[in-house]
Amino acid sequence: MTSTKQIIEVTQAAGFHINEMMEHNEEQGSFLRVVVNGGGCSGLSYGMHFDKEKKDDDFEDVQHGLTILVSREDAPILMGTKIDYKQSLMGGGFTIDNPNAIASCGCGTSFRTAKREGTPEVCE
């Protein structure tokens, strides 16, 4: 496991909301895993979930009291990505800004990079 490289930046606002969700879902002590999945309108999609286990090939970083895990496979795609939480009159939600994405869908969670296109799905 590698623990010295920051792949993703989690803003203070996002960290606050993720920590609240961990407490609400009784996931204290879990890790935040950020992943890239195939699918979505543009071919790839982001995923975040709580995980109890680290893997040998994970990059690990600690920000705002969160331990963030990214697999070695997903790291090049996510390098430099910023996760934020925005509040508006219509509610709030996480935003993901990935400098490696060359195309994205209006949903905000589907994207494609120059080196990895994934398998696009039909948007509904």
Side-chain angles (χ1 to χ4, degrees):
M1 182 164 18
T2 305
S3 61
T4 58
K5 194 168 197 169
Q6 182 176 342
I7 307 296
I8 294 172
E9 175 191 351
V10 174
T11 67
Q12 186 172 2
F16 173 79
H17 284 280
I18 294 167
N19 278 312
E20 270 193 339
M21 291 169 65
M22 278 184 147
E23 187 173 327
H24 181 265
N25 294 314
E26 298 180 359
E27 291 281 356
Q28 298 92 327
S30 292
F31 310 107
L32 174 68
R33 183 171 293 281
V34 182
V35 299
V36 175
N37 299 309
C41 305
S42 296
L44 300 171
S45 62
Y46 301 106
M48 294 191 294
H49 63 272
F50 300 126
D51 198 338
K52 299 271 187 208
E53 296 181 29
K54 298 177 192 176
K55 297 178 180 143
D56 290 339
D57 69 340
D58 285 340
F59 285 98
E60 176 182 350
D61 189 29
V62 178
Q63 299 175 40
H64 312 292
L66 294 167
T67 301
I68 304 155
L69 303 177
V70 176
S71 73
R72 183 167 304 283
E73 179 183 349
D74 291 343
I77 298 166
L78 295 172
M79 181 62 72
T81 295
K82 181 177 181 178
I83 299 174
D84 197 5
Y85 187 89
K86 303 277 187 191
Q87 189 71 39
S88 72
L89 293 175
M90 299 297 288
F94 292 99
T95 62
I96 299 175
D97 181 22
N98 183 344
N100 304 302
I102 61 168
S104 59
C105 189
C107 63
T109 62
S110 181
F111 68 104
R112 163 179 84 205
T113 67
K115 294 183 179 181
R116 193 159 154 205
E117 291 184 6
T119 307
E121 298 172 350
V122 177
C123 289
E124 296 182 25

